[in-house]
Amino acid sequence: MALLFFIFLGFSLAESDEADLGCHLLQTSSEARRKKGNQNLTTLTTNWPVTPLQPLAGPASRNAGICLSQIEPDAKGVPEAWTRPIEEIIQHYGEDGWCLLGSMGSWASNCSISRKSRDIIPYIQQYEGDLADRMNSDKASAVTLTFSDGRTLRTRDHHYPLDDVYCFVNGWYTAPDHPERQALMNFSYLEEVSDKACSHLEKILPEYHSLSASKLSVESTIDEAALEIAEATSGRLQIPDSVVRGLMVHAAVKCVMRGGGRGAVCDIANCAARACLDDANHVLYTQRGECKKVTP
């Protein structure tokens, strides 16, 4: 954990201003679109003019992980970079895709900085305070999610449950004592794991090489609608297969943002630092003291 990335489930989402902190795994973007009642961005922009590719931002902005001043649509039009495949945008500018999409939020810009410095720790640490507050809240009661293949996942993240689902369905949660959790803090090893994960997604998703920033918006809207329909009243929530696939698409977008299939996906390390998984598929949270902390 963008778009309309907020799933307004009766049990789960609080109306707060924590979007960029909490939903970075799910490509959260501007604060404006997280309010109830806002229309689908894709619908809003249907008749807006497409604006041509803009020049790169200045050195100071690029050093802050933002290579294009605007990637998302506004009333002036739809930037071409929003709809064109990310791989084509990277080829055009010759810059890291994380930086090119950096204006969408700190999930992208700060990952760009970490990729450039080859240090994943600062990226992870920016979210630790917020997660500690959320995971240690008296509202963080356990909720069980179910999948069509019979698996279950118990989460305590009532603000953004899809973050846990995202890490789980992409295989980025491991056992509490698994050595990979700590190993992923090593940037070279993170690159190796990222390459394997992205190669897998490339094989199973036919649309892999055509993914765009706007695709995130479409997938998020679909996921939101599917979960609203599937909401249960028994304390259990059925996760539709369409949402599982949508979260794999989210991960694939992070992969194509690397440009040429190279380098680290920050989310993989972030999942490892965020939580671990016990044998019953209960998510255990580092900020609750249930998993060993892997950052300084």
Side-chain angles (χ1 to χ4, degrees):
M1 2 180 328
L3 315 148
L4 295 174
F5 284 36
F6 297 86
I7 318 305
F8 294 105
L9 301 177
F11 77 87
S12 62
L13 290 191
E15 294 184 52
S16 67
D17 293 324
E18 298 170 346
D20 194 49
L21 290 172
C23 283
H24 56 281
L25 299 184
L26 306 179
Q27 294 78 249
T28 299
S29 62
S30 63
E31 292 282 325
R33 278 182 314 209
R34 59 176 305 279
K35 298 178 181 177
K36 283 187 178 181
N38 280 4
Q39 288 179 270
N40 183 337
L41 184 60
T42 304
T43 301
L44 282 171
T45 60
T46 299
N47 297 316
W48 288 0
V50 175
T51 57
L53 294 176
Q54 60 191 278
L56 286 170
S61 182
R62 295 202 301 273
N63 288 338
I66 300 175
C67 286
L68 295 176
S69 60
Q70 182 181 355
I71 187 77
E72 301 168 271
D74 62 16
K76 296 179 181 178
V78 181
E80 187 176 345
W82 175 252
T83 57
R84 281 182 61 176
I86 293 170
E87 289 186 344
E88 291 183 11
I89 302 303
I90 293 172
Q91 184 177 16
H92 175 84
Y93 286 106
E95 294 283 349
D96 184 17
W98 291 83
C99 189
L100 292 171
L101 271 63
S103 65
M104 293 181 70
S106 63
W107 63 268
S109 59
N110 286 343
C111 182
S112 174
I113 294 170
S114 282
R115 284 165 53 82
K116 188 174 182 179
S117 66
R118 298 184 61 80
D119 183 3
I120 196 61
I121 300 298
Y123 181 83
I124 293 169
Q125 288 176 327
Q126 69 179 318
Y127 301 112
E128 290 179 338
D130 173 73
L131 283 171
D133 291 341
R134 296 198 341 246
M135 293 301 97
N136 291 293
S137 166
D138 57 6
K139 297 180 180 179
S141 57
V143 175
T144 299
L145 313 177
T146 63
F147 298 82
S148 65
D149 59 6
R151 292 181 300 167
T152 61
L153 182 71
R154 193 180 74 172
T155 177
R156 291 182 180 273
D157 193 340
H158 287 223
H159 282 71
Y160 311 110
L162 282 191
D163 278 1
D164 282 336
V165 182
Y166 176 76
C167 294
F168 176 68
V169 301
N170 284 297
W172 297 343
Y173 275 159
T174 60
D177 57 352
H178 198 294
E180 186 167 273
R181 292 189 64 241
Q182 186 66 59
L184 284 167
M185 301 305 104
N186 177 285
F187 204 85
S188 295
Y189 183 68
L190 176 59
E191 288 180 315
E192 293 178 19
V193 173
S194 298
D195 289 344
K196 292 178 182 178
C198 294
S199 293
H200 171 69
L201 291 167
E202 183 180 16
K203 291 176 183 177
I204 66 173
L205 296 174
E207 67 269 43
Y208 183 92
H209 293 287
S210 63
L211 291 171
S212 64
S214 62
K215 179 64 174 175
L216 293 177
S217 180
V218 172
E219 284 295 338
S220 296
T221 303
I222 292 172
D223 292 350
E224 177 183 349
L227 284 182
E228 286 181 341
I229 292 171
E231 183 180 359
T233 58
S234 62
R236 299 175 71 87
L237 179 70
Q238 181 73 35
I239 303 296
D241 289 341
S242 61
V243 172
V244 173
R245 190 183 191 281
L247 293 176
M248 291 180 179
V249 171
H250 282 271
V253 171
K254 300 294 182 71
C255 288
V256 298
M257 286 168 63
R258 302 181 306 158
R262 299 184 302 275
V265 175
C266 295
D267 291 358
I268 296 177
N270 208 3
C271 287
R274 166 189 169 90
C276 53
L277 202 64
D278 70 10
D279 292 339
N281 283 351
H282 295 171
V283 181
L284 308 176
Y285 298 94
T286 303
Q287 297 301 325
R288 287 174 61 90
E290 299 167 338
C291 305
K292 182 180 179 181
K293 198 170 186 290
V294 295
T295 56

